[in-house]
Amino acid sequence: MKAAGFGAGKVILLGEHAVVYGYPAIAGALPLGVYAHMEAAERCALQTPGNLDEKQRALLQQAFGRAAEFAAWPKVLLRLEASLPMGAGLGSSAAVSVACAKALALAAFPHETREAQLEKAAEMAWRMEQVFHGSPSGVDNATSLRETLLWFCQGKVETLSCPTPLKILIAMAGQRSPTQSTVAQLRERQKKWPGHHKRLFEEIGRCTEEARGAIEAGDLALLGELMNVNQGLLAAMQLDSEKLIQKIHRLRGLGALGAKLTGAGGDGGAVVGLFEAPEGPMETLRAEGVECFACQLAGPRSL
């Protein structure tokens, strides 16, 4: 099978959860993601991965059906291959959606320009994400599709640049609750205490806006401090856990300029640390048995 579509994983540096309520977020694409391999077939179908349970398999097929319907069911078979930790808050569902959508766009609209194909892929990925998450903000699929560091607010996307290398280390903190469950619980608390949560969301929004300036100025120290503040605000919304707290403090102890949970949070998932040189801390964590990886989100790259 030929790899016809790739969906990048994502990491949110600042703004998760608040982005659902109309505030900005800063997210970066990861080098890890999901590939959709494609071959001609008698009918349009998705071969689901073998490690899914029955409920997950049914949800994936439902989501794929929404995208395939938009593409008029091209006669292709897709098979997914993931290099990204799944269900860890790193945008795995969006990566699946974008990978499938890109492959379907290539199969269904072969004579259109690459830009037109990507526009149709964006629509199909969005339809799949709605099945997975109900009312997603759109930041995950936007980041996965564009494969860059971006500013996202109410559906509007801008690419961000940084004059210095922006490097991170992501560490896994165990299995987490489903995103829909965490988002729904927060929404219930927000309805119960709207004024309190509005203040928290507004402060996250201010941190995110200031972080944009820090990135564009290459001020990594300020960016790290703002990530730490964002983590405190997420904790105030009951989105952290003992597993996440331990990993966050471990990253800071290893020299992170800033560290926080990324994604939905809850019982587990992933944490992200901002480092000038993450390679040494990554090796230390791996020696301790922690699943982790480092990458660069923006800025000049050494040859």
Side-chain angles (χ1 to χ4, degrees), residues 278-289:
E279 295 78 12
M282 177 182 68
E283 293 304 320
T284 298
L285 287 178
R286 286 180 174 175
E288 295 172 0

Side-chain angles (χ1 to χ4, degrees), residues 163-240:
T164 58
L166 201 168
K167 298 181 179 182
I168 61 168
L169 173 58
I170 292 177
M172 302 301 112
Q175 285 293 113
R176 66 175 178 86
S177 305
T179 298
Q180 277 188 321
S181 173
T182 306
V183 171
Q185 290 171 13
L186 176 60
R187 190 175 296 278
E188 286 302 311
R189 294 194 294 273
Q190 185 270 336
K191 289 180 179 178
K192 188 174 182 180
W193 301 294
H196 168 66
H197 283 81
K198 182 181 180 182
R199 288 191 294 273
L200 293 172
F201 290 143
E202 287 176 342
E203 190 57 40
I204 289 175
R206 282 191 285 269
C207 284
T208 306
E209 290 171 357
E210 193 172 353
R212 175 176 181 163
I215 289 171
E216 294 175 337
D219 190 343
L220 299 185
L222 176 57
L223 176 60
E225 181 62 22
L226 291 165
M227 289 172 63
N228 288 334
V229 174
N230 193 169
Q231 171 58 33
L233 294 165
L234 292 170
M237 289 190 285
Q238 303 178 45
L239 294 167
D240 62 355

Side-chain angles (χ1 to χ4, degrees), residues 49-160:
N51 60 343
L52 300 182
D53 60 33
E54 185 175 343
K55 183 178 180 180
Q56 292 170 325
R57 200 179 304 276
L59 188 65
L60 177 54
Q61 289 292 0
Q62 180 187 352
F64 177 75
R66 288 206 64 193
E69 181 181 23
F70 179 90
W73 302 93
K75 293 182 178 181
V76 292
L77 171 66
L78 301 188
R79 177 176 58 83
L80 303 178
E81 176 188 5
S83 60
L84 180 74
M86 307 302 281
L90 299 176
S92 56
S93 70
V96 167
S97 300
V98 168
C100 289
K102 284 183 177 179
L104 289 172
L106 187 64
F109 313 103
H111 303 300
E112 297 200 13
T113 65
R114 184 58 177 161
E115 290 74 16
Q117 288 177 346
L118 286 176
E119 285 183 9
K120 289 181 168 61
E123 175 61 28
M124 286 186 279
W126 174 245
R127 291 180 178 218
M128 290 184 69
E129 277 289 271
Q130 287 177 313
V131 175
F132 289 132
H133 297 300
S135 300
S137 68
V139 64
D140 285 18
N141 47 291
T143 308
S144 180
L145 187 76
R146 288 163 177 78
E147 299 181 39
T148 188
L149 180 68
L150 56 80
W151 166 273
F152 182 96
C153 187
Q154 297 183 14
K156 297 180 180 179
V157 178
E158 296 179 50
T159 300
L160 298 181

Side-chain angles (χ1 to χ4, degrees), residues 30 38 43 63 66 68 101 127 159 191 195 246 249 268 272 303:
L30 301 174
M38 181 173 70
R43 63 184 182 86
R66 288 206 64 193
R127 291 180 178 218
T159 300
K191 289 180 179 178
Q246 288 178 356
H249 284 287
V272 55
L303 298 178

Side-chain angles (χ1 to χ4, degrees), residues 9-13 26-30 89-90 143 168 170 262 272 295 297:
K10 72 89 180 61
V11 58
I12 295 183
L13 290 183
I26 295 173
L30 301 174
L90 299 176
T143 308
I168 61 168
I170 292 177
T262 183
V272 55
C295 65
L297 299 180

